[in-house]
Amino acid sequence: MQHVSDSFRALFAVGTAPKSDPRCVIIRGKLRVTVLTKRLLRLETAKNGTFCDAPTQKVWFRDFDRPRFSVEESGSRMTIRTTDCIFQIDLGKRALTAVTFKDGRTVTEFKAGNLKGTYRTLDGVNGDHALEDGLMSRGGVSLLDDSDSCLLAEDGSVLPRPDGGSDVYCFAYGNDYRGCLRDFYRLCGPAPLVPRWCLGNWWSRYKAYTQQEYLDLMQRFHDAEIPLTVATIDMDWHWVKVGEKFTKEQLGLKNAPQRRLRDIFSGLGWTGYSWNTDLFPDYKAMLRQLHDMDLKVTVNLHPAQGVRPFEDMYAEMARAMGVDPTTNRTIRFDIADPRFCEAYFNILHKPYEEDGVDFWWIDWQQEKTTSVPGLDPLWALNHYHTLFSARGGKRPLILSRFAQAGSHRYPLGFSGDTVITWKSLDFQPYFTANAANVGYTWWSHDIGGHMLGSRSDELYARWVQFGQYSPIMRLHSTADPFMGKEPWTYGWAAQQAATAALRERHAMIPYLYSMNRRTHAEGRALIEPLYYEYPDAEDAYKAPNEYFFGSELLVRPVTEPTNKTTTLAKARVWLPRGRWTDWYTGAIYEGEQWLDLYRGLGSIPVLAKAGAIVPLASDDRSNDWRNPQALTVRVFRGTNSFTLYEDDGDTTAYRDGAFAETVLSVREAGRDLAFTIQPAKGDLSTLPQKRDWTLVFDDISKAETITVKVNGRVREIMPIHTNGKTLLKLTGVPVTAKTEIAFSGITARENRDKQLLITEVLSKYQMTTVAKSMLFGGFAKDITKPFPSHDAALYGPVKEIFQMK
């Protein structure tokens, strides 16, 4: 980066990307082929014979282990054989023509069967939207085109590609989708470990709050015992109605044409860097108060209009850019200019971060060009903001939009302003899970929808329930006074459902943070499509709105309205093989079947696998996001282990080993079951010295004996048996202790009597009592009789009961 200081250059320096092993490289004239793995090939052409070894916007690392392979050439054909694949290359066309797998299957159409990835933004989308190609393909082969990516120089500046050739990576992973994703992360860089606090609930709204209004709102959430961890202040933190506030000279528009003046004076003050002191007379005090409430703070950026003369830091910015401040000339936004980039961060952003802005919401939705040919300003903003935010050992974080493959390095994603309709909600579960197909695991949506649509308490509650089981739970809406997403602005039933979902989301932070570590270290997305686990099951590809939520849970959000007669909403679910227990109802199902599950407004289908272990914070009412002193662990019968990962949640000290892991395991053998909490290992300074554990064994009704040992010494614990569950409470357990729970002669929880369940379901039907008795009275007394109704909507909830285990 020319014209910048050494200290600033050091923040963005990426160095020289490690090159591929020369023994894995084959050059034939203007074609270079690199065998990166036994299933990953790079094909690069160069018009002038100069190939690219520099890191690009997408690809950073090419120093893979040397795979075993052979090369054969015959005429214009090159054949590369690895232990897994045979790659056929046409040397004349300098292109890959076929891939043959070990099973003999040959693929020649590389776009066929692509399972798609994600999309830049859902702004204004009502329902679904076409997605770009991803890395996963039912055809077994996909291509990642890196030809148009700019290069990253050692000093961090971005350069256009000088050659104009092609650069394509061929992923030939068959249906090993997780293996494909792992190697994509090896190639392009891992998904970062996001801060712990961003996994709680966020408040956000496009509204011109005053300072006191905002603080009062945060206090009201606190008083209602609805936990939040992130407070978002949208664009009204800065001056917006600039045409009313400032003169033409202050706007840098003294000689602007009348059309330009109309644009500004109409109130389009999207860009701003000076706090609106009419709304926020003491913003520094406000930021301190929000931090005192255990809230992190982000504010919104629209940087396209540059820095205008009315800004507080205009004079300093002008001098940094070599502009005479007295000219009142607007400083043009150009993130590709190193000189502007340094001033942009050090003058416009760094002081506010020191005041208490924790991270930035980059709301870029303008053009895709910069002064560097081929450089998308959105990508540049994401890249540089992330790197700048990482200084001083801070965990980097932004909220922004998807730029292209490789954007997973810059979480979190903001999907845009969707329309408030059932169609929009119905698209988001698929959209979120499918983004894993291009490594993009941290989508954040406007939970509840952003704009337009119509008021629906039920739609709001269902959206919040989906938000609970999303990567990021961020409530958001437009400024319309009737669009707020505060739970208390909805009817009682929706308010209760939303409040419960928000509290439980906060409680899930220990589970989510452990999955966050898994994403970073193992390349496993928090939310995965079903076919990642069951690639050979055809049904796994037919359940787009169903996904794994971490290692333990299967989720299918409710995305259609309730039937007015049954008072239940339907969700179509495919259950893989095995035993599955509903997280909320306790109903037990056997897998390898399709089910229509029916749920009231209080829950959605969330199914725990056999042996599931889910650690939760016992405190679901305060804003505290740190490693909890009291944990609740829900355990389901089976054999499994879970590693609870913990660190300080906010810095990069974990890279130097400042983290702790606690292994929880369950083992079932006949009518016996053992549950163990191993001593915590690692840096124990990140943990409380002692913990209180509430252990909930969800599907053990009772046991002949229960023995509890802490470091080999028996503890007398009085079990609580309730609703088919067994609860054990242990207090003051040192985190260095080994805790062992032994159940002998267990009685497993079973589904309730079908007759009672059916009677309960039918009792809720909104019909006259006479009509209900005439239609269902005989059946309710004797379920061996044929169900009298041919109406599928009425029969469905009853059919579900018969399909329970």
Side-chain angles (χ1 to χ4, degrees), residues 219-227 488 495 499 503 621:
Q219 185 62 46
R220 183 163 183 184
F221 271 100
H222 177 270
D223 294 343
E225 297 185 327
I226 300 175
W488 52 81
Q495 177 183 346
T499 298
R503 287 173 177 165
R621 304 299 172 99

Side-chain angles (χ1 to χ4, degrees), residues 272-450:
Y273 300 100
S274 308
W275 279 85
N276 181 336
T277 51
D278 290 345
L279 296 177
F280 304 96
D282 190 351
Y283 75 88
K284 294 181 182 180
M286 181 187 70
L287 295 175
R288 287 195 298 270
Q289 288 175 275
L290 292 173
H291 287 155
D292 289 343
M293 295 180 183
D294 259 341
L295 292 164
K296 298 292 184 177
V297 183
T298 183
V299 300
N300 181 281
L301 291 175
H302 287 85
Q305 290 173 309
V307 184
R308 290 167 285 181
F310 67 83
E311 301 285 9
D312 295 344
M313 60 291 289
Y314 172 75
E316 185 180 1
M317 198 62 191
R319 286 190 292 269
M321 294 301 295
V323 174
D324 181 355
T326 64
T327 63
N328 283 342
R329 198 179 91 199
T330 295
I331 308 300
R332 186 174 65 88
F333 171 81
D334 185 4
I335 195 66
D337 177 357
R339 189 175 185 181
F340 175 85
C341 192
E342 179 172 23
Y344 172 83
F345 284 107
N346 285 336
I347 297 173
L348 302 180
H349 297 86
K350 183 179 178 181
Y352 288 149
E353 293 178 16
E354 293 170 350
D355 291 337
V357 174
D358 294 289
F359 67 107
W360 300 90
W361 171 12
I362 306 164
D363 202 352
W364 181 270
Q365 48 193 320
Q366 285 80 19
E367 70 281 348
K368 296 185 179 181
T369 59
T370 66
S371 58
V372 173
L375 176 61
D376 181 349
L378 173 61
W379 182 92
L381 284 163
N382 292 352
H383 177 73
Y384 289 129
H385 266 282
T386 299
L387 294 178
F388 188 75
S389 71
R391 68 194 187 283
K394 183 181 176 183
R395 194 90 57 94
L397 190 75
I398 59 170
L399 178 66
S400 189
R401 298 171 192 264
F402 177 80
Q404 59 182 6
S407 291
H408 65 275
R409 297 187 300 260
Y410 316 115
L412 307 160
F414 157 55
S415 66
D417 303 337
T418 50
V419 178
I420 304 173
T421 61
W422 284 99
K423 290 193 301 182
S424 293
L425 172 59
D426 187 55
F427 180 60
Q428 286 192 357
Y430 162 70
F431 179 79
T432 307
N434 218 66
N437 289 346
V438 69
Y440 203 63
T441 64
W442 292 112
W443 265 128
S444 164
H445 305 300
D446 289 357
I447 296 300
H450 182 77

Side-chain angles (χ1 to χ4, degrees), residues 203-207 209 217 221 420 446-452 454-457 459-461 464 474-491 494-495 498 502:
W203 175 256
S204 179
R205 190 176 183 187
Y206 176 29
K207 179 179 178 179
Y209 291 103
L217 177 61
F221 271 100
I420 304 173
D446 289 357
I447 296 300
H450 182 77
M451 60 187 182
L452 303 175
S454 59
R455 178 76 171 198
S456 169
D457 281 16
L459 176 58
Y460 164 74
V464 174
R474 181 177 56 86
L475 296 166
H476 187 67
S477 67
T478 191
D480 186 295
F482 307 113
M483 290 281 193
K485 297 300 186 290
E486 301 93 335
W488 52 81
T489 63
Y490 292 82
Q495 177 183 346
L502 292 166

Side-chain angles (χ1 to χ4, degrees), residues 178 181-182 185 190-194 199 441-442 510-529 532-533 547-553 609 640-646 661:
R178 288 176 178 152
L181 186 57
R182 282 194 300 271
Y185 284 145
L193 189 71
V194 302
L199 300 176
T441 64
W442 292 112
Y511 175 71
L512 294 168
Y513 198 64
S514 298
M515 295 297 100
N516 175 25
R517 171 66 173 185
R518 185 181 73 153
T519 299
H520 172 64
E522 302 176 26
R524 292 281 301 276
L526 168 66
I527 290 182
E528 291 182 333
Y532 276 39
E533 181 71 18
Y547 51 84
F548 286 104
F549 190 68
S551 58
E552 311 300 290
L553 301 175
K609 70 181 185 182
N640 185 32
S641 67
F642 183 93
T643 300
L644 175 66
Y645 173 85
E646 297 170 288
E661 293 181 318

